[in-house]
Amino acid sequence: MTSTKDKIIQVILKQQKVTINDLAEIVGINPISVRHHILKLEGEGVVDSAEERHGVGRPRRVYFLTEAGQEQFPTRYLRLTNRLLERVKENFPSHIVGQLFSQMGEDLAEDIVANQDVEKLPIEARLDLLQDVLNSEGFSVEWEKTSDAYHIHELNCPYYHIGQNHPEVCAVDQTLISKMLSVSATKIQCLLNGDNYCTYVVPLVALNEIQTNPI
C-alpha cells in the first residue's frame, strides 16, 4: 500500500508545482495533515517551496521537488542508463568501453586539480580531499593507514545497480583515486562481488617514491 507521504511526492512529481490545498484535494486528506507531511519532506531536503504570483491578490506558496526529491524515482534512469550502455557495448569493443569510464574518472580528477594545487598537498590531505570529492559524488568513504599501505573504503556505491550489469563503471572511481594520489590504486574488495564494501589499496612504498621523485 502506498503511504500518504509517497502519494504527496507522486502528486508533486506529476503537477511539478502545487499548493497545500491542491495536495489536500488530490490526496484526499485535510490541509493540516498535508502541511505536517510537507514540513517533514522539507526537513529531508526532498521538497522546497517558493512564492508564486497567481492573478490578483497575495502570492501563493507552491511546493516542488528538489533534485534529491527527483531521485526518489530512479527506476526510469536505471532503465535508460542500462539500455544506453547496452547499445554502447554493442557498437564498441570492450577495451573502448573501459577507456570511456576511465576517462570520466580522469576528467573529474582534472577538474579538481584545476581548482586546487593537489600535487603540493601531503598524502593525507589528498586523501581527505578525495574523501570529500567521493562523498559529494554519492559515496560514503573512509580511509585508514596500515603498516604498509593506505586503505580507502567505499561503504556504499551510487553506481551499484548499474554496476550489476556493467561492472566497467567501477573504473570511474578507481581512476579518480589513482589520479588524485598520483599512484595506481588496487581494488581488493568489491560490493559487486558480495563484499561488505569496496576497498582500494595504495602501498606506502609507491607513495614514498612519488614524494621522493615528484614528476
Side-chain angles (χ1 to χ4, degrees), residues 6-29:
D6 289 337
K7 288 179 181 176
I8 289 172
I9 294 174
Q10 289 277 359
V11 170
I12 300 174
L13 177 71
K14 185 177 294 186
Q15 302 289 331
Q16 296 190 350
K17 292 181 180 179
V18 64
T19 67
I20 292 289
N21 287 336
D22 291 336
L23 282 168
E25 183 178 347
I26 296 169
V27 177
I29 59 176

Side-chain angles (χ1 to χ4, degrees), residues 7-212:
K7 288 179 181 176
I8 289 172
I9 294 174
Q10 289 277 359
V11 170
I12 300 174
L13 177 71
K14 185 177 294 186
Q15 302 289 331
Q16 296 190 350
K17 292 181 180 179
V18 64
T19 67
I20 292 289
N21 287 336
D22 291 336
L23 282 168
E25 183 178 347
I26 296 169
V27 177
I29 59 176
N30 64 62
I32 294 175
S33 296
V34 171
R35 193 173 299 279
H36 173 74
H37 286 289
I38 285 291
L39 285 172
K40 283 189 174 182
L41 290 169
E42 285 183 311
E44 294 169 5
V46 172
V47 168
D48 202 353
S49 67
E51 287 191 343
E52 181 180 84
R53 289 283 177 187
H54 184 68
V56 180
R58 296 176 57 187
R60 64 178 186 175
R61 182 157 294 277
V62 294
Y63 297 85
F64 50 88
L65 295 182
T66 63
E67 184 175 343
Q70 295 283 350
E71 291 173 356
Q72 299 285 316
F73 305 89
T75 305
R76 296 169 300 165
Y77 304 107
L78 287 174
R79 284 201 296 262
L80 176 62
T81 304
N82 274 314
R83 287 171 182 167
L84 176 61
L85 291 175
E86 285 167 6
R87 296 296 174 266
V88 169
K89 288 182 175 181
E90 288 174 3
N91 289 279
F92 294 95
S94 59
H95 71 280
I96 296 295
V97 176
Q99 287 174 9
L100 288 172
F101 283 112
S102 294
Q103 188 61 54
M104 291 171 62
E106 290 185 10
D107 291 344
L108 183 55
E110 287 175 6
D111 289 343
I112 298 162
V113 171
N115 295 319
Q116 302 197 44
D117 203 350
V118 175
E119 290 185 358
K120 293 184 179 179
L121 293 176
I123 183 57
E124 296 197 353
R126 287 197 202 190
L127 284 163
D128 286 338
L129 176 59
L130 175 64
Q131 182 178 22
D132 290 341
V133 170
L134 287 171
N135 286 343
S136 70
E137 290 295 309
F139 293 89
S140 179
V141 177
E142 297 177 354
W143 63 265
E144 63 176 332
K145 183 179 182 180
T146 65
S147 59
D148 59 352
Y150 284 99
H151 289 231
I152 301 160
H153 305 294
E154 294 173 345
L155 309 183
N156 74 311
C157 177
Y159 314 139
Y160 180 77
H161 295 292
I162 298 298
Q164 288 178 316
N165 294 314
H166 307 287
E168 300 89 348
V169 73
C170 294
V172 175
D173 47 315
Q174 185 164 7
T175 302
L176 172 62
I177 292 169
S178 298
K179 289 292 181 181
M180 287 285 293
L181 301 181
S182 300
V183 63
S184 180
T186 302
K187 194 174 204 177
I188 62 170
Q189 293 187 103
C190 184
L191 286 162
L192 294 175
N193 296 334
D195 296 316
N196 291 329
Y197 37 73
C198 297
T199 297
Y200 295 95
V201 173
V202 180
L204 290 177
V205 62
L207 290 168
N208 291 335
E209 183 177 339
I210 291 292
Q211 292 174 341
T212 304

